[in-house]
Amino acid sequence: MSETSPKLRAELEGIPTYKPGKPAAAGGPAAYKLSSNENPYPPLPGVMETVAASASAFNRYPDMACTALTAELAERFGVPASHVATGTGSVGVAQQLLQATSGPGDEVIYAWRSFEAYPIITRISGAASVQVPLTPGDVHDLDAMADAITDRTRLIFVCNPNNPTGTVVRRSELERFLDRVPGDVLVVLDEAYREFIRDTEVPDGVEIYRERRNVCVLRTFSKAYGLAGLRVGFAIAHEPVAAALRKTAVPFGVSQIAQDAAVASLRAEDELIGRVGSLVCERNRVMDALRTQGWTVPETQANFVWLRLGESTVPFAQACEQAGVVVRPFPGEGVRVTIGETEANDIFLKVTEGFRKGV
Ligand SMILES: Cc1ncc(COP(=O)(O)O)c(C=O)c1O
């Protein structure tokens, strides 16, 4: 066999690989997975039946335009159907946004630490990442992000709430930031955890999109709606951007099962609201308990909490796993822990208590 290999793009050298949350090992000590910000609930009522019915037709390609889902979303948000673009999870749509806007010589700004896919998909596009550190309180530093804009900036991610810290940016600071962004730079409001927000000062990105042509909102069915495994997310954006998303979409990327499950989930809204409410109650209980134990935890508006543990991150994650829950360590920085089943949250709180006491 020849010694030469096909030439690959230089951008792929040294690309960080996406580290998925570790699963709970079958038969291992860790029975609960709190490492991927998933929803602990089973599918919403009616969704399994819908999926079973769609499954009987998977010898056929799906509806490439996601017509029914797009129409349902357009009606729900009060936007033209042409402003809705679907994709294989919101990370898939984010990658399409980069393909549509950015390439070699361009710059993409985002806070850091934030969603770990941003550096990966930016690198793949050929553009350069401009990472702006979070404030000491683990919040987006929007002034510094605006200062970082240059003639090369093509796209800015604002992750609200931020993954992995759960922190939010509020209406007035976001509006002030947007006023400083040139109209030809796309601002992507990544609202993967929107449904868990209870702080009324946090704006709904869709309302901001209505006022600004350079704002695009990303949402997903993976978190509150519990369809992470089916891979469906969407953007709401003005016509030129939404049209570009249709051009960059992987043909037939969203399966018919995913499309039908998403529509059925939207129609099970009452149950969804109840479940999200229960998770928010659990989040509040966990936050209160952590603070009572003496931890300093940033205020979270998502379905996870962030503990800045520095060098203790890995030993803490190991202690959690031994106790029965898998969490998401970012070595040297901190641990992100998803709010899961009550029993799982209780195990986590036992570990944090032991850690505080140095046990
Ligand atoms: C902030 C943020 N955006 C987007 C995503 C992608 O979710 P999905 O591709 O499942 O829609 C995630 C998933 O963890 C996330 O945390």
Side-chain angles (χ1 to χ4, degrees), residues 105-261:
D106 297 334
E107 292 173 352
V108 175
I109 299 175
Y110 51 88
W112 198 248
R113 181 170 277 279
S114 190
F115 181 34
E116 67 176 316
Y118 298 156
I120 300 170
I121 58 181
T122 300
R123 185 80 166 255
I124 293 171
S125 77
S129 279
V130 178
Q131 300 185 335
V132 178
L134 296 170
T135 67
D138 284 321
V139 179
H140 276 59
D141 188 342
L142 290 179
D143 288 335
M145 288 175 73
D147 290 343
I149 296 170
T150 70
D151 288 348
R152 297 176 166 211
T153 309
R154 292 289 171 275
L155 184 149
I156 305 174
F157 285 110
V158 176
C159 189
N160 203 23
N162 188 46
N163 175 5
T165 57
T167 49
V168 288
V169 295
R170 301 200 166 81
R171 188 171 289 106
S172 55
E173 49 185 326
L174 186 59
E175 294 282 8
R176 202 170 57 236
F177 166 74
L178 292 169
D179 286 343
R180 288 186 63 191
V181 180
D184 60 359
V185 173
L186 181 67
V187 179
V188 179
L189 302 179
D190 184 344
E191 297 186 335
Y193 303 95
R194 169 75 204 163
E195 294 81 1
F196 299 102
I197 295 175
R198 290 294 177 273
D199 180 338
T200 53
E201 287 302 304
V202 180
D204 178 338
V206 178
E207 296 312 316
I208 295 190
Y209 130 93
R210 291 189 210 284
E211 303 295 320
R212 298 182 187 259
R213 295 182 58 78
N214 65 333
V215 166
C216 161
V217 182
L218 273 187
R219 298 272 181 101
T220 182
F221 285 96
S222 297
K223 309 298 179 181
Y225 285 91
L227 301 182
L230 289 181
R231 314 306 304 127
V232 53
F234 61 98
I236 296 182
H238 290 272
E239 202 75 74
V241 176
L245 285 173
R246 282 187 279 279
K247 290 181 191 166
T248 50
V250 173
F252 305 108
V254 183
S255 72
Q256 197 61 48
I257 295 178
Q259 295 179 37
D260 294 346

Side-chain angles (χ1 to χ4, degrees), residues 22 34 89 92 126 171 176 206 240 267 270 291 298 307 348 359:
K22 204 171 153 180
L34 303 182
R171 188 171 289 106
R176 202 170 57 236
V206 178
R267 291 180 183 169
D270 288 350
R291 285 176 175 153
L307 292 182
F348 163 61
V359 188

Side-chain angles (χ1 to χ4, degrees), residues 8-38:
L8 301 177
R9 285 172 55 217
E11 285 88 356
L12 301 186
E13 291 285 333
I15 203 163
T17 40
Y18 190 102
K19 287 198 194 69
K22 204 171 153 180
Y32 295 103
K33 184 180 178 206
L34 303 182
S35 54
S36 292
N37 296 343
E38 293 156 340

Side-chain angles (χ1 to χ4, degrees), residues 248-290:
T248 50
V250 173
F252 305 108
V254 183
S255 72
Q256 197 61 48
I257 295 178
Q259 295 179 37
D260 294 346
V263 171
S265 299
L266 285 169
R267 291 180 183 169
E269 178 134 71
D270 288 350
E271 181 78 14
L272 173 92
I273 290 170
R275 289 179 180 193
V276 169
S278 301
L279 286 169
V280 168
C281 283
E282 269 299 283
R283 172 180 84 197
N284 295 344
R285 181 178 78 86
V286 169
M287 287 290 281
D288 288 347
L290 289 170

